[in-house]
Structure formats: structure tokens, C-alpha cells
Amino acid sequence: MTTGLEGKVGLVTGGTSGIGRDTAILFAKAGVKVVVAGRREPEGQETIELVRSAGGDGVFVKTDVSKAAEVEELIHQAVEKFGRLDIAFNNAGIEGVWVPIVNQSEKDWDRTIGINLKGVWLCLKYEIRQMLKQGAGGAIVNMASISGLIGSLGAGAYSASKHGVVGLTKTAALETARNGIRINAVCPAAIETSMAERLFGAPEVHKYVLGCHPIGRFGKPAEVAEAVVWMCSDRASFMTGQSLVLDGGFLAGPNPPS
Ligand code: NAD
């Protein structure tokens, strides 16, 4: 069965590594022309090479998603290159500094919220404007996290930013449903990327976090990509305003000892 995404134009932010890169490649395999946005030019070009090796077409646009002018220019460049914008995965994010709230600096709080939450809002703003102008619907997935649904010790700013993304997703979905634009979020638990390595790489931390995943392993970026591509396809045509959890059973309940 095909995804029905052939010939569509899709945007992936934070596509220079991890989940974003794997999603850009899977979009390409589904026939989507991919606009990859991120801050790191060499890694962005590397993603485009992988997109081309997968038989697709793509372009990298250097963008900091926390800056309004850069996000507006990103959408402009996407439309200039491929003529339209049909789908978007607002994935760019940082873990920030994980410390108790009492030790969190204002600078780190502002940076985390600025990229993870304001960045998603800016992307939504300019993506929706473009999709409304085209008048042919669209599909958007925002990257949240299970930290957008439960608290995470030491991750006040990160957790607040991801809870914000879940709320913003619902409002955006309400505002666009009648225009045929579907907007959802995805909430993964630990996924094997450089971010997870930075956060959970220390042996004791790794053991503890792994123990929270009943399935007995972390997820893979490609597993998140599969869900995102599905959510962007017409096969998910009745789904909007939802936050899809991909967590190996993390939120199902306490993990029984093995
Ligand atoms: P990653 O560090 O490999 O990817 C993050 C990407 O976002 C990078 O490409 C980075 O360059 C980009 N980015 C950061 N700040 C940016 C900015 N201001 N403008 C543009 N791009 C920017 O890690 P990842 O795990 O692939 O993370 C992707 C997303 O998934 C993040 O939003 C993260 O919070 C979320 N997430 C990750 C996990 C996990 O365990 N890995 C779990 C849940 C959610």
C-alpha cells in the first residue's frame, strides 16, 4: 500500500541529525520533495545527499527556528524551490540544561522555551499561512515528547516546552480543521539519538531510564519517522489535534521487575 504522498512538498526542521534526518529520508522514499531546515550547513547537506540516495529530491535551508525572520524566509525558500508546501514536521529541539528548578538560569529557560516552544509556534504560523493561501489542506506534525505529558525530574524548562507544544497543537488543529489542515503531535520516550546519548549516556542513568521502558530498549529514530509519515498521509485522514505516544510502554504503568 502506498502512502499517497507522492509529489507532495514537505518540510522537516531539525533535519540535520537524529529523528529529523530519518524522517526526511523516509519522506523521500514516499516520494515527497523535502525541504530540510537546521542550523548546521554540512550536516544539512549530508541529509540532502541521503535524501537523493533514497531516490528523492530535496534542499537544505539554514534556519534557526527561534527567529521569526528566518522561519518566514524558510517557508518563502521552500515555496520558491518547489512551488508549494503540503506537509511539515516541526521537529527541531534541544534538551537544554537539566537541573532542578531552583538552579535553572533564566538564560537556559529562555533558550529552551525559545527553540522548543516558540520555534514550533513560529513554524506553525508561517506554514499555516502558506497552506491557507494554497487552499488545498495540509498536514503538520509537531515534535513533543512524553515529557509533554508527564513531569520529568530536573527537566522543568524542557517539560514545560513540550507540554506547551501539546497545547499549541490542539489549538492549531481547532483553528485549521475546517480548512482541511490536520495538525498533530508525536510524543516519544527515549529514542537512540545524540540527544539521548547526551542525556542518558552515563551508565547509571542509562540503566534507570532503560528500566522505565517495559519493551526493554530505547526507540529508534526510524520508528518515529514511520509514525510521522503515516500521520502526514491521508491514511490518518480523521486524526487531528492528537498527541501520539511512542514509548515502548513507558506510560502504560509501572514496569514489572524482570
Ligand atoms: P538531535 O539533537 O539529533 O536533533 C535535534 C535537531 O534539532 C538537530 O538537528 C539540531 O541541530 C536541531 N536544532 C536545535 N536547535 C535548533 C534551532 N534553533 N533551529 C533549527 N534547528 C535546531 O536529537 P533528536 O533526538 O533527533 O531530537 C529531535 C526532537 O525530538 C527534539 O525536539 C527532541 O526534543 C525530541 N525528542 C527526542 C527524544 C529522544 O529521546 N531522542 C525523545 C522525545 C522527544
Side-chain angles (χ1 to χ4, degrees), residues 162-229:
K162 297 300 188 181
H163 274 75
V165 169
V166 169
L168 190 59
T169 299
K170 291 176 187 167
T171 296
L174 292 175
E175 290 180 0
T176 57
R178 293 289 166 94
N179 302 97
I181 302 171
R182 295 182 303 101
I183 305 185
N184 294 289
V186 65
C187 298
I191 304 297
E192 287 170 3
T193 66
S194 54
M195 182 182 288
E197 182 57 34
R198 288 190 296 274
L199 286 172
F200 315 130
E204 277 312 297
V205 181
H206 187 270
K207 191 172 164 211
Y208 170 75
V209 178
L210 191 61
C212 297
H213 294 70
I215 210 162
R217 64 175 178 83
F218 288 179
K220 298 190 182 312
E223 292 178 304
V224 181
E226 286 287 349
V228 172
V229 170

Side-chain angles (χ1 to χ4, degrees), residues 15-17 21 25 36 40-53 60:
T16 54
S17 61
R21 173 174 281 179
I25 295 166
V36 173
R40 296 172 293 165
E41 180 90 37
E43 288 86 346
Q45 295 302 349
E46 230 171 73
T47 302
I48 296 304
E49 276 164 35
L50 292 166
V51 159
R52 295 206 174 112
S53 309
F60 174 71

